[in-house]
Amino acid sequence: TSLSSSQFLRRQQVLQLYRKILRAIREVPAEQDRRYLKDWAREEFKRNKGATEEDAIRMMITQGNMQLQELQRTLKLAKS
């Protein structure tokens, strides 16, 4: 099945978000926390893999970005 241009762009956004989250998780100092967060991220993305509703996908991307920002904020605070 071929993707429409908006589906293609949305897919790129999702993959980019996933990569950013995994990169941020690498900064987590504790090995156990890193493993937990990586498993959590993988499960979340896997669980929503079949989503096709455009608004739902947009909402999930927004939520994911907010969670990413929260993680980055927490890591920044931990370092200071």
Coordinates of all heavy atoms in Angstrom, one line a residue:
T1 N 0.8 -1.2 0.0 CA 0.0 0.0 0.0 C 0.9 1.2 0.0 O 1.9 1.3 0.7 CB -0.9 0.0 1.3 OG1 -0.1 0.1 2.4 CG2 -1.8 -1.2 1.3
S2 N 0.5 2.2 -0.8 CA 1.3 3.4 -0.9 C 0.6 4.5 0.0 O -0.6 4.5 0.2 CB 1.4 3.9 -2.3 OG 0.1 4.3 -2.8
L3 N 1.5 5.3 0.6 CA 1.0 6.3 1.5 C 0.7 7.6 0.8 O 1.4 8.0 -0.2 CB 2.1 6.6 2.6 CG 2.5 5.5 3.5 CD1 3.7 6.0 4.3 CD2 1.4 5.0 4.3
S4 N -0.3 8.3 1.2 CA -0.6 9.7 0.7 C 0.5 10.6 1.2 O 1.2 10.2 2.1 CB -2.0 10.2 1.2 OG -1.9 10.5 2.5
S5 N 0.6 11.8 0.6 CA 1.7 12.7 1.1 C 1.6 13.1 2.5 O 2.5 13.2 3.2 CB 1.8 13.9 0.2 OG 0.6 14.6 0.2
S6 N 0.3 13.3 3.0 CA 0.1 13.7 4.4 C 0.5 12.5 5.3 O 1.0 12.7 6.4 CB -1.3 14.2 4.6 OG -2.2 13.1 4.5
Q7 N 0.1 11.3 4.9 CA 0.5 10.1 5.7 C 2.0 9.9 5.8 O 2.5 9.6 6.8 CB -0.2 8.8 5.1 CG -1.7 8.7 5.3 CD -2.2 7.6 4.5 OE1 -1.9 7.3 3.4 NE2 -3.2 6.9 5.2
F8 N 2.6 10.2 4.6 CA 4.1 10.0 4.6 C 4.7 11.0 5.5 O 5.6 10.7 6.3 CB 4.6 10.3 3.1 CG 6.1 10.2 3.0 CD1 6.8 9.0 3.0 CD2 6.8 11.4 3.0 CE1 8.1 9.0 2.9 CE2 8.2 11.4 2.9 CZ 8.9 10.2 2.8
L9 N 4.3 12.3 5.5 CA 4.8 13.3 6.3 C 4.6 13.0 7.8 O 5.4 13.2 8.7 CB 4.2 14.7 6.0 CG 4.7 15.3 4.6 CD1 3.9 16.5 4.3 CD2 6.2 15.5 4.7
R10 N 3.4 12.5 8.1 CA 3.0 12.2 9.5 C 3.9 11.1 10.0 O 4.4 11.1 11.1 CB 1.5 11.8 9.5 CG 1.0 11.6 10.9 CD 0.7 13.0 11.6 NE -0.3 13.8 10.9 CZ -0.1 15.1 10.7 NH1 1.0 15.7 11.0 NH2 -1.0 15.8 10.1
R11 N 4.1 10.1 9.1 CA 5.0 9.0 9.5 C 6.4 9.5 9.8 O 7.1 9.0 10.7 CB 5.0 7.9 8.3 CG 5.9 6.7 8.6 CD 5.7 5.7 7.5 NE 6.3 4.4 7.8 CZ 7.6 4.2 7.6 NH1 8.4 5.1 7.1 NH2 8.1 3.0 8.0
Q12 N 6.9 10.4 8.9 CA 8.2 11.0 9.2 C 8.3 11.7 10.5 O 9.3 11.6 11.3 CB 8.6 12.0 8.1 CG 8.8 11.3 6.7 CD 9.8 10.2 6.7 OE1 10.9 10.3 7.3 NE2 9.4 9.0 6.2
Q13 N 7.2 12.4 10.9 CA 7.1 13.1 12.2 C 7.2 12.1 13.3 O 7.9 12.3 14.3 CB 5.8 13.8 12.3 CG 5.8 15.2 11.6 CD 4.4 15.8 11.9 OE1 3.4 15.3 11.6 NE2 4.5 17.0 12.5
V14 N 6.5 11.0 13.2 CA 6.5 9.9 14.2 C 7.9 9.3 14.4 O 8.4 9.2 15.5 CB 5.4 8.8 13.9 CG1 5.5 7.6 14.8 CG2 4.0 9.4 14.0
L15 N 8.5 9.0 13.3 CA 9.8 8.4 13.3 C 10.8 9.3 13.9 O 11.7 9.0 14.7 CB 10.3 7.9 11.9 CG 9.5 6.8 11.4 CD1 9.9 6.5 9.9 CD2 9.7 5.5 12.2
Q16 N 10.7 10.6 13.6 CA 11.6 11.6 14.1 C 11.4 11.8 15.6 O 12.4 11.9 16.4 CB 11.3 13.0 13.4 CG 12.3 14.1 13.7 CD 12.0 15.3 13.0 OE1 10.8 15.7 12.7 NE2 13.0 16.1 12.6
L17 N 10.2 11.8 16.1 CA 9.9 11.8 17.5 C 10.5 10.6 18.2 O 11.1 10.8 19.3 CB 8.4 11.9 17.7 CG 7.9 11.9 19.2 CD1 8.4 13.1 20.0 CD2 6.3 11.9 19.2
Y18 N 10.3 9.5 17.7 CA 10.8 8.2 18.3 C 12.3 8.3 18.4 O 12.9 8.0 19.5 CB 10.4 7.0 17.4 CG 10.8 5.7 18.0 CD1 10.2 5.3 19.2 CD2 11.6 4.8 17.4 CE1 10.6 4.0 19.8 CE2 12.0 3.6 17.9 CZ 11.4 3.2 19.1 OH 11.8 2.0 19.6
R19 N 13.0 8.8 17.4 CA 14.5 8.9 17.5 C 14.9 9.9 18.5 O 15.8 9.7 19.3 CB 15.0 9.3 16.1 CG 15.1 8.2 15.1 CD 15.9 8.6 13.9 NE 15.4 8.0 12.7 CZ 14.5 8.6 11.9 NH1 14.2 9.8 12.0 NH2 14.0 8.0 10.8
K20 N 14.2 11.0 18.6 CA 14.5 12.1 19.6 C 14.3 11.5 21.0 O 15.1 11.8 21.9 CB 13.6 13.3 19.4 CG 14.0 14.2 18.3 CD 13.0 15.4 18.2 CE 13.3 16.3 17.0 NZ 12.3 17.3 16.9
I21 N 13.3 10.8 21.2 CA 13.0 10.2 22.5 C 14.1 9.2 22.9 O 14.6 9.3 24.0 CB 11.6 9.5 22.6 CG1 10.5 10.6 22.5 CG2 11.5 8.6 23.8 CD1 9.1 10.1 22.4
L22 N 14.5 8.4 22.0 CA 15.5 7.4 22.3 C 16.9 8.1 22.5 O 17.6 7.7 23.4 CB 15.7 6.4 21.1 CG 14.6 5.4 20.9 CD1 14.9 4.4 19.8 CD2 14.3 4.6 22.2
R23 N 17.1 9.2 21.8 CA 18.4 10.0 22.0 C 18.4 10.6 23.4 O 19.4 10.6 24.1 CB 18.5 11.1 21.0 CG 19.6 10.8 20.0 CD 19.8 11.9 19.0 NE 19.5 11.3 17.7 CZ 18.6 11.8 16.8 NH1 17.9 12.8 17.1 NH2 18.4 11.2 15.7
A24 N 17.2 11.1 23.8 CA 17.1 11.8 25.1 C 17.3 10.7 26.2 O 17.9 11.0 27.2 CB 15.8 12.5 25.3
I25 N 16.7 9.5 26.0 CA 16.8 8.5 27.0 C 18.3 8.1 27.2 O 18.7 7.7 28.3 CB 16.0 7.2 26.6 CG1 14.5 7.6 26.7 CG2 16.3 6.0 27.4 CD1 13.5 6.6 26.1
R26 N 19.1 8.1 26.2 CA 20.5 7.8 26.3 C 21.2 8.7 27.4 O 22.2 8.3 27.9 CB 21.3 8.0 25.0 CG 21.1 6.8 24.1 CD 22.1 6.9 22.9 NE 21.4 6.7 21.7 CZ 21.5 7.3 20.6 NH1 22.4 8.2 20.5 NH2 20.8 7.0 19.5
E27 N 20.7 9.9 27.6 CA 21.3 10.8 28.6 C 20.9 10.4 30.0 O 21.5 11.0 31.0 CB 20.8 12.2 28.3 CG 21.0 12.7 26.9 CD 22.5 12.9 26.6 OE1 23.2 13.5 27.4 OE2 22.9 12.5 25.5
V28 N 20.0 9.6 30.2 CA 19.5 9.2 31.6 C 20.7 8.4 32.2 O 21.2 7.5 31.7 CB 18.3 8.3 31.5 CG1 17.9 7.8 32.9 CG2 17.1 9.1 31.0
P29 N 21.1 8.9 33.4 CA 22.3 8.3 34.0 C 22.2 6.9 34.5 O 23.1 6.1 34.3 CB 22.6 9.3 35.2 CG 21.4 10.2 35.4 CD 20.6 10.1 34.1
A30 N 21.1 6.5 35.1 CA 20.9 5.2 35.7 C 20.5 4.2 34.6 O 19.5 4.4 33.9 CB 19.9 5.2 36.8
E31 N 21.3 3.1 34.5 CA 21.0 2.0 33.5 C 19.6 1.5 33.6 O 19.0 1.3 32.6 CB 22.1 0.9 33.8 CG 21.7 -0.4 33.2 CD 22.0 -0.5 31.7 OE1 23.0 0.2 31.3 OE2 21.4 -1.3 31.1
Q32 N 19.2 1.2 34.8 CA 17.8 0.6 35.0 C 16.7 1.6 34.5 O 15.8 1.1 33.9 CB 17.6 0.3 36.5 CG 16.5 -0.6 36.8 CD 16.4 -1.0 38.3 OE1 17.3 -0.6 39.1 NE2 15.4 -1.7 38.7
D33 N 16.9 2.9 34.8 CA 15.9 3.8 34.3 C 15.9 3.9 32.8 O 14.9 4.0 32.2 CB 16.2 5.2 34.9 CG 16.0 5.3 36.4 OD1 15.3 4.4 37.0 OD2 16.5 6.2 37.1
R34 N 17.1 3.9 32.3 CA 17.3 3.9 30.8 C 16.5 2.8 30.2 O 15.8 2.9 29.2 CB 18.7 3.9 30.4 CG 19.3 5.2 30.0 CD 20.7 5.0 29.3 NE 21.5 4.0 29.7 CZ 22.5 4.1 30.6 NH1 22.6 5.2 31.3 NH2 23.2 3.1 31.0
R35 N 16.7 1.6 30.7 CA 16.1 0.4 30.2 C 14.6 0.5 30.3 O 13.9 0.2 29.3 CB 16.6 -0.9 30.9 CG 16.4 -2.1 30.0 CD 17.1 -3.4 30.6 NE 18.4 -3.1 31.2 CZ 18.8 -3.4 32.4 NH1 18.0 -4.1 33.2 NH2 20.0 -3.2 32.8
Y36 N 14.1 0.9 31.4 CA 12.7 1.1 31.7 C 12.1 2.1 30.6 O 11.0 1.8 30.0 CB 12.4 1.6 33.1 CG 11.0 2.0 33.3 CD1 10.0 1.0 33.5 CD2 10.6 3.3 33.2 CE1 8.6 1.4 33.6 CE2 9.3 3.7 33.3 CZ 8.3 2.8 33.6 OH 7.0 3.1 33.7
L37 N 12.7 3.2 30.5 CA 12.2 4.2 29.6 C 12.2 3.8 28.1 O 11.3 4.1 27.4 CB 13.0 5.5 29.7 CG 12.7 6.3 31.0 CD1 13.7 7.4 31.2 CD2 11.3 6.9 31.0
K38 N 13.3 3.1 27.7 CA 13.4 2.6 26.4 C 12.3 1.6 26.1 O 11.6 1.6 25.1 CB 14.7 1.9 26.1 CG 15.1 1.8 24.7 CD 16.4 1.0 24.5 CE 17.6 1.9 24.7 NZ 18.9 1.2 24.4
D39 N 12.0 0.7 27.1 CA 10.9 -0.3 26.9 C 9.6 0.4 26.8 O 8.7 0.0 26.0 CB 10.9 -1.3 28.1 CG 12.1 -2.3 28.0 OD1 12.8 -2.4 26.9 OD2 12.4 -2.9 29.0
W40 N 9.4 1.4 27.7 CA 8.1 2.1 27.7 C 7.9 2.8 26.4 O 6.8 2.7 25.8 CB 8.2 3.2 28.8 CG 7.1 4.2 28.7 CD1 5.8 4.0 29.1 CD2 7.2 5.5 28.1 NE1 5.1 5.1 28.8 CE2 5.9 6.0 28.2 CE3 8.2 6.2 27.5 CZ2 5.6 7.3 27.7 CZ3 7.9 7.5 27.0 CH2 6.7 8.0 27.1
A41 N 8.9 3.5 25.8 CA 8.8 4.2 24.5 C 8.5 3.2 23.4 O 7.6 3.4 22.6 CB 10.1 4.9 24.2
R42 N 9.2 2.1 23.4 CA 9.0 1.1 22.4 C 7.6 0.5 22.4 O 6.9 0.4 21.4 CB 10.0 -0.1 22.6 CG 10.0 -1.0 21.4 CD 11.1 -2.1 21.6 NE 12.4 -1.6 21.6 CZ 13.3 -1.8 22.6 NH1 13.0 -2.5 23.6 NH2 14.5 -1.3 22.5
E43 N 7.1 0.2 23.6 CA 5.7 -0.3 23.8 C 4.7 0.7 23.4 O 3.7 0.4 22.7 CB 5.5 -0.7 25.3 CG 6.1 -2.0 25.6 CD 5.7 -3.2 24.7 OE1 4.5 -3.4 24.4 OE2 6.6 -3.9 24.1
E44 N 4.9 2.0 23.7 CA 3.9 3.0 23.4 C 3.8 3.1 21.8 O 2.7 3.2 21.3 CB 4.3 4.4 23.9 CG 4.0 4.6 25.4 CD 2.5 4.6 25.7 OE1 1.7 5.4 25.1 OE2 2.0 3.7 26.5
F45 N 4.9 3.2 21.2 CA 4.9 3.3 19.7 C 4.3 2.1 19.1 O 3.6 2.2 18.1 CB 6.3 3.7 19.2 CG 6.6 5.1 19.3 CD1 7.1 5.6 20.5 CD2 6.5 6.0 18.2 CE1 7.4 7.0 20.6 CE2 6.7 7.3 18.3 CZ 7.2 7.8 19.5
K46 N 4.7 0.9 19.6 CA 4.2 -0.3 19.0 C 2.7 -0.4 19.2 O 1.9 -0.8 18.3 CB 4.9 -1.5 19.8 CG 4.8 -2.8 19.0 CD 5.5 -3.9 19.7 CE 7.0 -3.8 19.8 NZ 7.6 -4.9 20.5
R47 N 2.2 0.0 20.4 CA 0.8 -0.1 20.7 C -0.1 0.8 19.8 O -1.2 0.4 19.5 CB 0.5 0.3 22.2 CG -0.8 0.1 22.7 CD -0.8 0.2 24.3 NE -0.3 1.4 24.8 CZ -1.1 2.5 25.0 NH1 -2.3 2.5 24.7 NH2 -0.5 3.6 25.4
N48 N 0.5 1.9 19.4 CA -0.3 2.8 18.6 C 0.1 2.7 17.1 O -0.3 3.6 16.3 CB 0.0 4.3 19.1 CG -0.6 4.5 20.4 OD1 -1.8 4.2 20.7 ND2 0.2 4.9 21.4
K49 N 0.8 1.7 16.7 CA 1.3 1.5 15.3 C 0.2 1.5 14.3 O 0.3 2.0 13.2 CB 2.1 0.2 15.3 CG 2.8 0.0 13.9 CD 3.6 -1.3 14.0 CE 4.2 -1.5 12.6 NZ 5.0 -2.8 12.6
G50 N -0.9 0.9 14.7 CA -2.0 0.7 13.7 C -3.0 1.9 13.6 O -4.0 1.9 12.9
A51 N -2.7 3.0 14.4 CA -3.6 4.1 14.4 C -3.7 4.7 13.0 O -2.6 4.9 12.3 CB -3.1 5.2 15.4
T52 N -4.9 5.0 12.5 CA -5.0 5.6 11.2 C -5.8 7.0 11.3 O -5.7 7.7 10.3 CB -5.9 4.7 10.3 OG1 -7.1 4.3 10.9 CG2 -5.1 3.4 10.0
E53 N -6.5 7.2 12.3 CA -7.3 8.5 12.5 C -6.3 9.6 12.6 O -5.5 9.7 13.5 CB -8.1 8.3 13.8 CG -9.0 9.6 14.1 CD -10.0 9.9 13.0 OE1 -10.6 9.0 12.4 OE2 -10.1 11.1 12.6
E54 N -6.4 10.5 11.6 CA -5.5 11.7 11.5 C -5.4 12.5 12.8 O -4.3 12.9 13.2 CB -5.9 12.5 10.3 CG -4.9 13.5 9.8 CD -3.6 12.8 9.2 OE1 -3.7 11.7 8.7 OE2 -2.6 13.5 9.3
D55 N -6.6 12.9 13.3 CA -6.6 13.7 14.6 C -5.9 13.0 15.7 O -5.2 13.6 16.5 CB -8.0 14.1 14.9 CG -8.6 15.1 13.9 OD1 -7.8 15.8 13.2 OD2 -9.8 15.2 13.9
A56 N -6.2 11.7 15.9 CA -5.6 10.9 17.0 C -4.1 10.9 16.8 O -3.4 11.0 17.8 CB -6.2 9.5 17.0
I57 N -3.6 10.7 15.6 CA -2.2 10.6 15.4 C -1.5 11.9 15.7 O -0.5 12.0 16.4 CB -1.9 10.2 14.0 CG1 -2.3 8.7 13.7 CG2 -0.4 10.3 13.7 CD1 -2.3 8.3 12.3
R58 N -2.2 13.0 15.3 CA -1.7 14.4 15.6 C -1.6 14.6 17.1 O -0.6 15.1 17.6 CB -2.6 15.4 14.9 CG -1.8 16.4 14.1 CD -2.6 17.6 13.6 NE -4.0 17.3 13.4 CZ -4.5 17.0 12.2 NH1 -3.7 16.8 11.1 NH2 -5.8 16.8 12.0
M59 N -2.7 14.1 17.8 CA -2.7 14.3 19.3 C -1.6 13.5 19.9 O -0.9 13.9 20.9 CB -4.1 13.9 19.8 CG -4.3 14.2 21.2 SD -5.9 13.5 21.9 CE -5.4 11.8 22.0
M60 N -1.4 12.3 19.4 CA -0.3 11.4 20.0 C 1.1 12.0 19.8 O 1.9 12.0 20.7 CB -0.4 10.0 19.5 CG -1.6 9.2 20.0 SD -1.5 7.5 19.4 CE -2.4 7.6 17.8
I61 N 1.3 12.6 18.6 CA 2.6 13.3 18.4 C 2.8 14.5 19.3 O 3.8 14.6 19.9 CB 2.6 13.8 16.9 CG1 2.7 12.5 16.0 CG2 3.8 14.7 16.7 CD1 2.6 12.9 14.5
T62 N 1.7 15.2 19.5 CA 1.8 16.4 20.5 C 2.1 15.9 21.9 O 3.0 16.4 22.5 CB 0.4 17.2 20.4 OG1 0.2 17.6 19.1 CG2 0.5 18.3 21.4
Q63 N 1.4 14.8 22.3 CA 1.6 14.2 23.6 C 3.1 13.8 23.7 O 3.7 14.0 24.8 CB 0.7 13.1 23.8 CG -0.4 13.3 24.9 CD -1.3 12.1 25.0 OE1 -1.4 11.3 24.1 NE2 -2.0 12.1 26.1
G64 N 3.5 13.1 22.7 CA 4.9 12.5 22.7 C 5.9 13.7 22.8 O 6.9 13.5 23.6
N65 N 5.7 14.8 22.1 CA 6.6 15.9 22.2 C 6.6 16.5 23.6 O 7.7 16.9 24.1 CB 6.2 17.0 21.1 CG 6.8 16.6 19.8 OD1 8.0 16.3 19.6 ND2 6.0 16.6 18.7
M66 N 5.4 16.6 24.2 CA 5.4 17.1 25.5 C 6.1 16.2 26.5 O 6.8 16.7 27.4 CB 3.9 17.3 26.0 CG 3.3 18.5 25.3 SD 1.5 18.7 25.5 CE 1.0 17.8 26.9
Q67 N 6.0 14.9 26.4 CA 6.7 14.0 27.2 C 8.2 14.1 27.0 O 9.0 14.0 27.9 CB 6.2 12.6 27.0 CG 4.8 12.4 27.6 CD 4.1 11.1 27.2 OE1 4.3 10.6 26.1 NE2 3.4 10.5 28.2
L68 N 8.6 14.3 25.7 CA 10.0 14.4 25.4 C 10.6 15.7 26.1 O 11.6 15.7 26.7 CB 10.2 14.5 23.9 CG 11.6 14.9 23.4 CD1 12.6 13.9 23.8 CD2 11.6 15.0 21.9
Q69 N 9.8 16.8 26.0 CA 10.3 18.1 26.6 C 10.4 17.9 28.1 O 11.3 18.4 28.7 CB 9.3 19.2 26.3 CG 9.4 19.7 24.9 CD 8.3 20.6 24.5 OE1 7.4 20.8 25.2 NE2 8.4 21.2 23.3
E70 N 9.5 17.2 28.7 CA 9.5 16.9 30.2 C 10.7 16.1 30.5 O 11.4 16.4 31.5 CB 8.2 16.2 30.6 CG 8.1 16.0 32.1 CD 8.1 17.3 32.9 OE1 7.5 18.3 32.4 OE2 8.6 17.3 34.0
L71 N 11.0 15.1 29.8 CA 12.2 14.3 30.0 C 13.5 15.2 29.9 O 14.4 15.1 30.7 CB 12.3 13.1 29.0 CG 13.5 12.3 29.1 CD1 13.7 11.6 30.4 CD2 13.5 11.2 28.0
Q72 N 13.5 16.0 28.8 CA 14.7 16.9 28.6 C 14.9 17.9 29.8 O 16.0 18.1 30.2 CB 14.6 17.6 27.3 CG 14.8 16.6 26.1 CD 14.4 17.3 24.8 OE1 13.6 18.1 24.7 NE2 15.0 16.8 23.7
R73 N 13.7 18.4 30.2 CA 13.7 19.4 31.4 C 14.3 18.7 32.6 O 15.1 19.2 33.3 CB 12.3 19.9 31.6 CG 12.2 21.4 31.6 CD 10.9 21.9 32.1 NE 9.7 21.2 31.8 CZ 9.0 21.2 30.7 NH1 9.3 22.0 29.7 NH2 7.9 20.5 30.5
T74 N 13.8 17.5 32.9 CA 14.2 16.7 34.0 C 15.7 16.4 34.0 O 16.4 16.5 35.0 CB 13.4 15.4 34.1 OG1 12.0 15.7 34.2 CG2 13.8 14.6 35.4
L75 N 16.2 16.0 32.8 CA 17.6 15.7 32.7 C 18.5 17.0 32.9 O 19.5 16.9 33.5 CB 17.9 15.1 31.3 CG 17.4 13.7 31.1 CD1 17.4 13.3 29.6 CD2 18.2 12.7 31.9
K76 N 18.0 18.1 32.4 CA 18.7 19.3 32.5 C 18.8 19.7 34.0 O 19.8 20.1 34.5 CB 18.0 20.5 31.7 CG 18.9 21.7 31.5 CD 18.2 22.7 30.7 CE 18.3 22.4 29.2 NZ 17.7 23.5 28.4
L77 N 17.7 19.6 34.7 CA 17.7 19.9 36.2 C 18.6 18.9 36.9 O 19.3 19.4 37.9 CB 16.2 19.7 36.7 CG 15.3 20.8 36.5 CD1 13.9 20.4 36.9 CD2 15.7 22.1 37.1
A78 N 18.6 17.7 36.5 CA 19.5 16.7 37.2 C 21.0 17.0 37.1 O 21.8 16.8 38.0 CB 19.2 15.3 36.7
K79 N 21.3 17.6 35.9 CA 22.7 18.0 35.7 C 23.1 19.2 36.4 O 24.3 19.4 36.7 CB 22.9 18.2 34.1 CG 23.0 16.8 33.4 CD 23.2 17.1 31.9 CE 23.1 15.8 31.2 NZ 23.2 16.0 29.7
S80 N 22.2 20.1 36.7 CA 22.6 21.4 37.3 C 22.7 21.3 38.8 O 22.4 20.3 39.4 CB 21.5 22.5 37.0 OG 20.3 22.1 37.5

